[in-house]
Amino acid sequence: MLVLQETPAGFALFQVDDATVKAAEEKDVWEDFETLDRAKKVAKLKAFGKFDNTTEALQAAASLVDSKLGKGLKKFLKKNVDGETVGVVDAKLGSIVKEKMGIPCIYSSGVLELSRGLRNQLEGLLSGFESDLKPMSLGLSHSLSRYKLKFSPDKVDTMIVQAIGLLDDLDKELNTYAMRVREWYGWHFPEMTKIINDNIKYAKAAKLMGTREKAAEIDFSEFLEEEEESAMKEAAIVSMGTEISEEDVLNIAALCDQVVSLSEYRGQLFDYLRSRMAAIAPNLTVLVGELVGARLIAHVGSLVNLAKAPASTIQILGAEKALFRALKTKHETPKYGLIYHASLIGQASTKNKGKISRVLAAKCALGVRVDALGDTNDEGALGLEARARVEARLRQLEGKSDEGDVRTKGLPTPAKYNAQETQDDAMLTTPKTYNADADAVDTGSKKKKKKKDKKRKAEDTPASDKKSKKEKKDKKDKKKSKK
């Protein structure tokens, strides 16, 4: 029997006895590979196919990682295997070799144990090639890492994961900076905080105005409404704020520039995220939106990982702590996680949010599998159809009239009861009369029935009643004997 061993320098075939493989399945054979001399008694090198360069080694390693039969391995096996059984460590690769080349392959725990022992003494068993192992191993590991990073299909959605992470960070920073602007400029013009609610408009107005005395001379119509502008100018005249120096105004203006520039960059990043989501996961985007879809992908790591998850997992993604806490304390488990922020769930009433989240998660599971594993780009057609069904289900739960065609599962609803119609139908049929001639009388059966009734009465009578009857009988017998 031969054992196939792949190394960074090339492919190797070791000759091993069948009895050794069977023994390895039952007992530990690690003692046979503790030293090189013992290992040479168990396995002998039959053939070794060296790689010519790093490119060939990379191709062979990449094909083995994906359980594929490469050209180099195919030539090596055809040249060195002649009707012998080959032990492999990958069952899928063994089935491919057996199917395409007709070479019988074995995959078992014994082969795995022998392969582990051979790998331990690999440098000594490959006499003449041990000098190539270390440099080839280092070069192959670097090449394989670059290849996986460059060509991995999972890495396409890495941009989405990074973009949504940066978007959340920007929101936090923007909120912090905007609050600082309001607090800082509020010492000078406190009334403006209640007049302008939008943070970006507030920063633009504070930068353009400088001190409140200049408010009457400046036109704010580019970003403020007429009512807000007039109210701010009126408040500036009677403001109760403190006076600030020119240096304070410059520092506040610099912070306002930061807020405005960050908000503009956030808008550009959101447009980029929207375009990437529409290209990579169109069906998921249609169902839950760009932000929720991107957060779901970022939470599990990649689009393929999300496609592997069932609908029940997608429904509670982001609520893992609450789920395990509920399981531990034996309380009700959460009904939704990140998917709660989808617009369809926001439209539902409180009592129907759980049902809609379950329906939406099921549709998301189907849509994301089409996005990740589908060969053709349907541009969100499946997502649009699924969204229409979820909306129809929402209308049904909310009790609203449904204009679209909705196929509901279960039995059809029964028609309303109409007493007049039932009476009319009853009059159409003639009533049936009792037929006395059809009766038959069996006298023998009546006697049997009486006997059975007596037996039942005797069985049903309690023991106390039986004793009292017996006592009465004994008293009568005594009286008679006295007389």
Side-chain angles (χ1 to χ4, degrees), residues 182-341:
R182 283 179 176 272
E183 188 177 352
W184 199 352
Y185 196 72
W187 287 98
H188 177 62
F189 193 179
E191 293 82 5
M192 186 171 143
T193 305
K194 292 183 179 179
I195 296 168
I196 304 174
N197 295 320
D198 187 72
N199 291 330
I200 310 304
K201 289 181 180 179
Y202 188 96
K204 287 180 179 179
K207 181 196 171 186
L208 189 62
M209 182 166 43
T211 55
R212 63 173 181 265
E213 289 81 9
K214 300 177 184 177
E217 304 169 2
I218 300 170
D219 183 21
F220 299 95
S221 58
E222 289 184 9
F223 52 88
L224 287 180
E225 294 180 3
E226 188 177 347
E227 294 177 359
E228 291 177 337
E229 185 180 359
S230 59
M232 186 181 69
K233 288 181 178 180
E234 289 174 4
I237 299 169
V238 292
S239 177
M240 301 293 291
T242 59
E243 297 295 331
I244 55 174
S245 64
E246 195 65 30
E247 188 178 357
D248 297 331
V249 173
L250 291 174
N251 282 289
I252 293 170
L255 183 57
C256 292
D257 286 335
Q258 291 287 328
V259 173
V260 173
S261 62
L262 280 175
S263 66
E264 289 174 356
Y265 175 61
R266 189 202 176 279
Q268 294 173 8
L269 187 65
F270 181 71
D271 292 338
Y272 166 74
L273 180 65
R274 182 186 292 170
S275 64
R276 294 301 298 164
M277 283 294 294
I280 293 170
N283 293 301
L284 183 64
T285 305
V286 169
L287 283 165
V288 296
E290 297 88 3
L291 292 175
V292 177
R295 285 194 177 96
L296 287 171
I297 293 170
H299 191 78
V300 295
S302 69
L303 187 66
V304 175
N305 289 344
L306 187 63
K308 291 176 183 176
S312 56
T313 303
I314 293 173
Q315 184 182 348
I316 57 167
L317 277 177
E320 288 84 359
K321 285 185 179 180
L323 173 67
F324 291 119
R325 193 191 308 120
L327 291 173
K328 188 177 179 181
T329 57
K330 295 182 180 179
H331 286 82
E332 290 185 1
T333 54
K335 295 178 181 177
Y336 28 69
L338 291 169
I339 205 171
Y340 177 80
H341 300 286

Side-chain angles (χ1 to χ4, degrees), residues 123-148:
E123 292 184 7
L125 291 170
L126 294 176
S127 56
F129 302 100
E130 61 272 7
S131 60
D132 298 329
L133 279 176
K134 286 187 178 179
M136 283 295 288
S137 177
L138 184 63
L140 181 61
S141 62
H142 289 171
S143 300
L144 190 61
S145 299
R146 284 195 296 269
Y147 172 81
K148 291 295 286 181

Side-chain angles (χ1 to χ4, degrees), residues 388 390-404:
V390 176
E391 288 173 349
R393 177 64 177 155
L394 176 61
R395 287 195 295 271
Q396 186 184 13
L397 289 171
E398 297 290 338
K400 296 176 182 177
S401 61
D402 188 10
E403 298 173 0

Side-chain angles (χ1 to χ4, degrees), residues 104-120:
C105 296
I106 290 177
Y107 168 78
S108 64
S109 59
V111 174
L112 290 173
E113 288 293 324
L114 287 172
S115 178
R116 190 163 64 96
L118 290 169
R119 202 179 297 116
N120 186 46

